[in-house]
Amino acid sequence: MIKKKQQDVLGFLEANKIGFEEKDIAANEENRKWMRENVPEDSRPATGYPLPPQIFNESQYRGDYDAFFEARENNAVYAFLGLTAPPGSKEAEAQAKQQE
């Protein structure tokens, strides 16, 4: 299930030409430690460690897969990622309508 969620996020980013850097936490202890330390306390599970994928914009925590999925369903992924939606995208059009 984790791999599927990771592929879902990566596929979306690639399809929308959103630049990203994938960090392997399985093979790299430093990446794993960084992720665990940078997921905010209120976003961590009650027990154990947060499971991937965890999404960051640089070092700013943006959310987990469920938050990403919800943003995608609501055409709000760019806002979720802390990015400006490109002109002509569904998200940009929705934002323009809200500002009218």
Side-chain angles (χ1 to χ4, degrees):
M1 189 58 131
I2 289 173
K3 191 73 175 161
K4 162 106 178 61
K5 290 178 177 181
Q6 289 170 320
Q7 289 171 338
D8 195 23
V9 173
L10 296 177
F12 181 90
L13 296 175
E14 289 168 352
N16 289 280
K17 296 178 175 50
I18 299 170
F20 66 91
E21 180 182 352
E22 185 179 3
K23 300 274 191 176
D24 185 346
I25 65 163
N28 186 314
E29 178 62 34
E30 202 170 297
N31 287 343
R32 184 166 46 246
K33 186 177 175 201
W34 187 92
M35 182 193 81
R36 290 176 179 170
E37 290 173 353
N38 286 279
V39 171
E41 285 287 334
D42 61 354
S43 297
R44 295 179 187 179
T47 59
Y49 293 108
L51 295 174
Q54 298 292 328
I55 302 160
F56 294 83
N57 182 338
E58 299 298 332
S59 61
Q60 184 181 32
Y61 182 69
R62 303 308 299 179
D64 61 8
Y65 176 80
D66 291 337
F68 167 82
F69 184 82
E70 187 175 320
R72 191 178 69 186
E73 291 294 301
N74 294 320
N75 288 319
V77 173
Y78 289 93
F80 167 76
L81 294 172
L83 303 172
T84 302
S89 67
K90 286 182 183 177
E91 189 168 336
E93 291 171 7
Q95 287 171 348
K97 283 181 185 170
Q98 289 175 350
Q99 293 171 355
E100 288 177 357

